[in-house]
């Protein structure tokens, strides 16, 4: 039967809140998703029955904590279709990309090139700019098509034998466009470049089959994937990780420390300096397990039906324009739009007074906004727990803004 | 719907676009960006011999609150020097509930923004830009 | 009246657990402290009533989240006696020290020197070794006295005009020794060196009055200070932070991003790239508020009475030896000991069978163990919720190990 | 108290210190560290012409489990080649519950460690070191 959105909603306590007299129409999932009871309870269970530091203790709380932490790694690995020991827990998606920029980046030579795109989130731009000033690498940018997709036609021109890494958004946080990973990997491999995907906006929409994608690194954020804040994931090919120097130094990432020199533990421990984010990792493990138990065929159809309802509704409001793919093919439920004569912040603010949460502005993608000379967009980003009432409340709010603010 | 923010006076100020545009040969020009939201204000002023504003114009790339504030500012800036503009700033801060005291035309129109912390910088941005231009 | 330990214990649900038939005598607080309901509830409140991304949203959930996050910063600042805008949230204490090693470290020149000590935790050694290989700085080490204190007599010899930073443990995680901060700051200032304290083991024992200490940077970990995992704090003097380049790149830490170049936001945002650990920060804020409400005069006396009871009890067991200060002056409730002929791991394992959690081994201080040619120690680390029954259970366990394992 | 781990046989193995010490002119020597706990084993072996162990000695800086394992290993290593030592490794893994199957003297003594995951590496460390020495 069809996807049971009511049952899903029931697992997210915040969706039943009334805030200042208004219901919660949460359509800002691209910024941060809400979190189900399963995740909240998993963290609480750790905090109240098995909290301790991991790896080094012999007492039973430490054994419990270590087991829960490593179990979380296995849950994330299952979600990505990879081996647990290939999964590195980081402080977030941004931290995961920075890890690669610092560690893999330190292996690059002046004149080596990294290829990103104009659609990237600042978190997949600034780390490479910082690497450029540290290491003298060059940064290339794939352009973006007018319907908000990375223009892969430019790949052959911008990929060179000096290109060591291609780092692109798996799904755009502005337009929802899905990358043609196969085309990127094929072209990159032809020049010997590695491929990293920024999966921040893809992971919240169901399991990712990394082996079939053929990429080398994958990063995503816990809080956008129904997990806690303060946790993210970097997956890397083991042979690459093993050849990479550490990023941060501290406890747990060492082999032996002497005053003169220090040897490194194997990955993933090499890259998890200090006490890891044990509780948040356990929460993210639970979130991955929660996602894996969901019917994603149904959820995806449901999400796409919401996108269609949104697009149809916006079209009926004079002066709206969607920035992003018009079709439902190869896209995820992130929709950016502009309302003629009304600034996106004023759209979002009006929507708030209808109980609708969206995001307005540059979405941490200023180069993209500059490229299309946009003041910003209003972004609607959906999750499986959204329903028609959320979209209808949004459309009513946009209509109201159109009527009153211009 | 609980639309407290976009009250008629604010919308009217924004639509009035008082002072929108550029000056030819301005004495001073200043630009201010709000990196969080991307709002941008460019302010041109012509000053008289005593540092008082003789002419003012603004280009706002920003939200309605920012436009309304730039309009409000332009409607009362002429004839004021830096100290006079600082008085307006206090008026705005009072309207936003960030300072105690009574507030006056035209900035009293922004009282509804007092309840919206995240939008207060939008109102203050033109005042910041003008302060830069005068300093 | 005297400190009410029962009331304090009642706030920590895990202390009432029975695990495999045994009570929880938790004396491994130096590794990770337990967390009170006030912290658990603060995080849950955020997750279920106000979860959203911070700083950039205009909707009411985002306003709530931003307010809670900045309120947490203010709570931490009050705990340290500083201004909120001087407090940077990091992924942990290790991440905070690495931030300084990368950012402040990038301002150092080959030949500049950093002074640490032999007693440091790996997290305050390895980041400087990594900086040494990146930047060609030199690393100096203050020796340690036989009673487990940093030997400040060596300061005059080891501080040079090339010394740019002195980074030392405020309280040792092995011996509990409290640093004479005044002496360090005075000597460091005389040569123009900055002083950072690793406060990981000090922060769990009550508010820190940073202005009176006169240091330049201070780092501590949330999970050791009754807060969640995945959060730590770096405090820095604003004029130093303002002059420091960013560490990681990403969302929120930028002024304006263009493809060609990027400008930085002021501190603390400059150093908080990406979505911060909002929930964990809120938890740490609650932990700081919880600590600030505690009677620390009473709590400290209580902790020191436990140390005395422990020391007296150990002395009655043949072949025990304490590594660390013998007196209760200028020390905190971390006690390391050895039991002749029994390896620390076997002591700890035996204690576990008495329901007592301690830590055994090198405590991430291998250079210190090497220096004193120790196999490791058994470490008892206390918190205000520990009581006599915890110490007595431990002493019974040590006596049992002494009887059966040698 | 629920002391399941340090059963008499394990303690006896450790106290026996079978093979403790060094060899003069060993054919091979290997050292293994466990960075997590700091345990360290140095193993000396003399081999005969066919790669079989003629003499063995160990220096253990580690816990009772590691000492007991080194003792147990030394008590049965002589006469075995790499394949024979690998058999002992499987015996140990079986005792620890990490492989199915029956386990034999002397490694069956380690069965109580099956319930203590964090200590299993202590038992395996001498076997790892010996494997290194033979390879
Ligand atoms: C003195 C000291 N410094 C630094 C750390 C590192 O803290 P964390 O592992 O939480 O980053 C610890 C704790 O392990 C410590 O005891
Ligand atoms: C595409 C993309 N990449 C990276 C990030 C950064 O994630 P985080 O801020 O959680 O580190 C985000 C979210 O802000 C994103 O949407």
């Amino acid at each position: 039967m069809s996807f049971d959105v009511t049952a899903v909603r029931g697992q997210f306590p915040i969706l039943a809140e009334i805030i200042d007299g208004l219901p919660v129409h949460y359509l800002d999932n691209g910024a941060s998703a809400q979190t189900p009871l399963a995740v909240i309870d998993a963290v609480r269970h750790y905090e109240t029955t098995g909290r301790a530091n991991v790896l080094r203790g012999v007492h039973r709380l430490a054994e419990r904590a270590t087991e829960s932490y490593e179990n979380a790694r296995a849950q994330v690995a299952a979600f990505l279709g990879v081996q647990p020991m290939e999964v590195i827990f980081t402080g977030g998606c941004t931290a995961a990309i920075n890890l690669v920029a610092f560690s893999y980046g330190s292996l690059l030579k002046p004149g080596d090139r990294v290829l990103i795109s104009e659609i990237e989130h600042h978190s997949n731009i600034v780390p490479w700019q910082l690497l450029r000033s540290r290491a003298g690498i060059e940064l290339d940018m794939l352009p973006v098509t007018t319907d908000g997709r990375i223009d892969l036609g430019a790949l052959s021109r911008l990929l060179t034998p000096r290109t060591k890494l291609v780092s692109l958004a798996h799904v755009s946080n502005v337009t929802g466009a899905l990358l043609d990973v196969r085309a990127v990997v094929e072209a990159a491999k032809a020049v010997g470049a590695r491929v990293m995907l920024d999966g921040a906006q893809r992971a919240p929409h169901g399991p990712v089959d990394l082996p079939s994608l053929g990429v080398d690194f994958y990063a995503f954020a816990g809080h956008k994937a129904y997990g806690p804040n303060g946790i993210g994931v970097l997956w890397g090919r083991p042979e690459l990780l093993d050849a990479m120097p550490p990023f941060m130094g501290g406890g747990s990432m060492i082999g032996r420390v002497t005053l003169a020199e220090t040897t490194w533990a194997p990955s993933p421990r090499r890259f998890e300096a200090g006490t890891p984010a044990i509780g948040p990792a356990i929460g993210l493990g639970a979130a991955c397990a929660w996602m894996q138990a969901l019917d994603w065929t149904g959820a995806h159809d449901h999400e796409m039906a919401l996108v269609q309802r949104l697009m149809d509704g916006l079209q009926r409001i004079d002066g709206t324009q969607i920035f992003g793919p018009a079709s439902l093919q190869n896209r995820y439920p992130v929709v950016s739009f502009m309302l003629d004569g009304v600034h996106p912040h004023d759209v979002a603010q009006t929507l708030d007074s209808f109980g609708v949460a969206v995001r307005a502005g540059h979405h941490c993608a200023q180069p993209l906004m500059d490229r299309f000379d946009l003041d910003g967009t209003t972004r609607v980003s959906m999750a499986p727990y959204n329903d028609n009432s959320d979209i209808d409340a949004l459309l009513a709010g946009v209509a109201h803004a159109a009527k009153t603010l211009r | 719907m609980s639309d407290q923010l976009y009250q008629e006076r604010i919308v009217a100020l924004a639509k009035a676009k008082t002072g929108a545009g550029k000056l030819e040969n301005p004495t001073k020009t200043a630009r201010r960006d709000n990196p969080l939201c991307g709002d941008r204000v460019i302010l041109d002023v012509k000053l008289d011999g005593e540092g008082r504003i003789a002419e003012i114009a603004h280009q706002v790339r920003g939200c309605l609150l920012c436009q309304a504030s730039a309009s409000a500012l332009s409607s009362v800036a002429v004839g004021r020097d830096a100290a006079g503009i600082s008085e307006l700033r206090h008026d705005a801060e009072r309207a936003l509930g960030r300072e105690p005291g009574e507030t006056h035309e035209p900035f009293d129109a922004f009282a509804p923004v007092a309840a919206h912390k995240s939008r207060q910088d939008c109102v203050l941005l033109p005042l910041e830009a003008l302060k830069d231009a005068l300093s």
Side-chain angles (χ1 to χ4, degrees), chain A residues 369-395:
Chain A
M369 298 296 127
D370 288 350
R371 160 71 184 79
F372 287 95
D373 196 28
L374 295 173
D375 279 348
T377 74
T378 303
R379 182 186 74 181
V380 188
S381 51
M382 287 157 261
Y385 45 68
N386 288 122
D387 62 12
N388 287 344
S389 83
D390 295 332
I391 303 299
D392 295 347
L394 176 125
L395 291 169

Coordinates of all heavy atoms in Angstrom, one line a residue, chain A residues 369-395:
Chain A
M369 N 24.9 32.1 -6.3 CA 24.0 33.3 -6.3 C 24.7 34.4 -7.2 O 24.0 35.0 -8.0 CB 23.8 33.8 -4.9 CG 23.2 32.8 -3.9 SD 21.5 32.4 -4.4 CE 21.6 30.6 -4.4
D370 N 26.0 34.6 -7.0 CA 26.6 35.6 -7.8 C 26.5 35.2 -9.3 O 26.3 36.1 -10.1 CB 28.1 35.7 -7.4 CG 28.3 36.3 -6.1 OD1 27.3 36.9 -5.5 OD2 29.5 36.3 -5.6
R371 N 26.7 34.0 -9.6 CA 26.8 33.5 -11.0 C 25.4 33.8 -11.7 O 25.4 34.2 -12.8 CB 27.1 32.0 -11.0 CG 26.7 31.2 -12.2 CD 27.6 31.6 -13.4 NE 27.1 30.8 -14.6 CZ 26.1 31.2 -15.3 NH1 25.4 32.3 -15.0 NH2 25.7 30.5 -16.3
F372 N 24.3 33.6 -10.9 CA 23.0 33.9 -11.5 C 22.4 35.2 -11.1 O 21.2 35.5 -11.3 CB 22.1 32.7 -11.2 CG 22.4 31.5 -11.9 CD1 23.2 30.5 -11.4 CD2 21.9 31.3 -13.2 CE1 23.6 29.3 -12.1 CE2 22.3 30.1 -14.0 CZ 23.1 29.2 -13.4
D373 N 23.3 36.0 -10.4 CA 22.9 37.3 -10.0 C 21.6 37.3 -9.2 O 20.6 38.1 -9.4 CB 22.7 38.2 -11.2 CG 22.7 39.7 -10.8 OD1 23.3 40.0 -9.7 OD2 22.1 40.5 -11.5
L374 N 21.5 36.4 -8.2 CA 20.3 36.3 -7.4 C 20.6 36.9 -6.0 O 21.7 36.8 -5.5 CB 20.0 34.8 -7.2 CG 19.6 34.0 -8.4 CD1 19.5 32.5 -8.0 CD2 18.3 34.5 -9.0
D375 N 19.5 37.5 -5.5 CA 19.6 38.0 -4.1 C 19.5 36.8 -3.1 O 19.6 37.0 -1.9 CB 18.3 38.8 -3.8 CG 18.4 40.2 -4.3 OD1 19.5 40.6 -4.7 OD2 17.4 40.9 -4.3
G376 N 19.3 35.7 -3.6 CA 19.0 34.5 -2.8 C 17.8 33.9 -3.3 O 17.1 34.4 -4.2
T377 N 17.4 32.7 -2.7 CA 16.2 32.1 -3.0 C 15.4 31.7 -1.8 O 16.0 31.8 -0.7 CB 16.4 30.8 -3.8 OG1 16.9 29.8 -2.9 CG2 17.4 31.0 -5.0
T378 N 14.2 31.3 -1.9 CA 13.5 30.7 -0.8 C 13.6 29.2 -1.1 O 13.2 28.8 -2.2 CB 12.0 31.2 -0.8 OG1 12.0 32.6 -0.7 CG2 11.3 30.6 0.4
R379 N 14.0 28.5 -0.1 CA 14.2 27.0 -0.3 C 13.3 26.2 0.5 O 13.2 26.3 1.7 CB 15.7 26.7 0.0 CG 16.0 25.2 -0.2 CD 17.3 24.8 0.2 NE 17.4 24.8 1.7 CZ 18.5 24.5 2.4 NH1 19.6 24.3 1.7 NH2 18.5 24.4 3.7
V380 N 12.6 25.3 -0.1 CA 11.7 24.3 0.5 C 12.4 23.0 0.5 O 12.7 22.5 -0.6 CB 10.4 24.2 -0.2 CG1 9.4 23.4 0.6 CG2 9.8 25.6 -0.5
S381 N 12.8 22.4 1.6 CA 13.5 21.1 1.6 C 12.7 20.1 2.4 O 12.4 20.4 3.6 CB 14.9 21.3 2.1 OG 14.9 22.0 3.3
M382 N 12.4 19.0 1.8 CA 11.4 18.1 2.4 C 12.0 16.8 2.9 O 13.2 16.4 2.6 CB 10.4 17.7 1.3 CG 9.4 18.9 1.1 SD 8.6 18.8 -0.5 CE 9.7 19.9 -1.5
A383 N 11.3 16.2 3.8 CA 11.7 14.9 4.4 C 10.4 14.0 4.3 O 9.3 14.4 4.0 CB 12.1 15.1 5.8
P384 N 10.6 12.7 4.6 CA 9.5 11.8 4.4 C 8.3 12.1 5.3 O 7.2 11.7 5.1 CB 10.1 10.4 4.8 CG 11.5 10.5 4.5 CD 11.9 11.9 4.8
Y385 N 8.6 12.8 6.4 CA 7.5 13.1 7.3 C 6.7 14.3 6.9 O 5.7 14.7 7.6 CB 8.0 13.3 8.8 CG 9.2 14.1 8.9 CD1 9.2 15.5 8.7 CD2 10.4 13.6 9.3 CE1 10.3 16.3 8.8 CE2 11.6 14.3 9.5 CZ 11.5 15.7 9.2 OH 12.6 16.4 9.4
N386 N 7.0 15.0 5.9 CA 6.2 16.1 5.4 C 5.0 15.6 4.7 O 5.0 14.5 4.2 CB 7.0 17.0 4.5 CG 8.1 17.8 5.2 OD1 9.3 17.8 4.9 ND2 7.6 18.6 6.2
D387 N 3.9 16.4 4.7 CA 2.7 16.0 4.1 C 2.0 17.2 3.3 O 2.6 18.3 3.3 CB 1.7 15.4 5.1 CG 1.3 16.4 6.2 OD1 1.6 17.6 6.0 OD2 0.7 15.9 7.2
N388 N 0.9 16.9 2.7 CA 0.2 17.9 1.9 C -0.1 19.1 2.7 O 0.0 20.2 2.1 CB -1.1 17.3 1.3 CG -0.8 16.3 0.2 OD1 0.4 16.2 -0.3 ND2 -1.8 15.5 -0.2
S389 N -0.4 19.0 4.0 CA -0.8 20.1 4.7 C 0.4 21.1 4.9 O 0.2 22.3 4.9 CB -1.3 19.7 6.1 OG -0.2 19.5 7.0
D390 N 1.6 20.6 4.9 CA 2.8 21.4 4.9 C 2.9 22.2 3.6 O 3.2 23.4 3.7 CB 4.1 20.6 5.1 CG 4.1 19.8 6.4 OD1 3.5 20.3 7.4 OD2 4.8 18.7 6.5
I391 N 2.7 21.6 2.5 CA 2.8 22.2 1.2 C 1.7 23.3 1.1 O 2.0 24.4 0.6 CB 2.8 21.2 0.1 CG1 3.9 20.2 0.2 CG2 2.9 21.9 -1.3 CD1 5.3 20.7 0.2
D392 N 0.5 22.9 1.5 CA -0.6 23.8 1.3 C -0.4 25.1 2.2 O -0.8 26.2 1.8 CB -1.9 23.1 1.6 CG -2.2 22.0 0.6 OD1 -1.5 22.0 -0.4 OD2 -3.0 21.1 0.9
A393 N 0.1 24.9 3.4 CA 0.3 26.0 4.3 C 1.4 26.9 3.7 O 1.2 28.2 3.7 CB 0.8 25.6 5.7
L394 N 2.3 26.3 3.1 CA 3.4 27.1 2.4 C 2.8 27.9 1.3 O 3.1 29.1 1.1 CB 4.5 26.2 1.9 CG 5.6 26.9 1.1 CD1 7.0 26.6 1.7 CD2 5.6 26.5 -0.4
L395 N 2.0 27.2 0.4 CA 1.5 27.9 -0.7 C 0.6 29.1 -0.3 O 0.6 30.2 -0.9 CB 0.7 26.9 -1.6 CG 1.6 25.9 -2.3 CD1 0.7 24.8 -2.9 CD2 2.5 26.6 -3.4

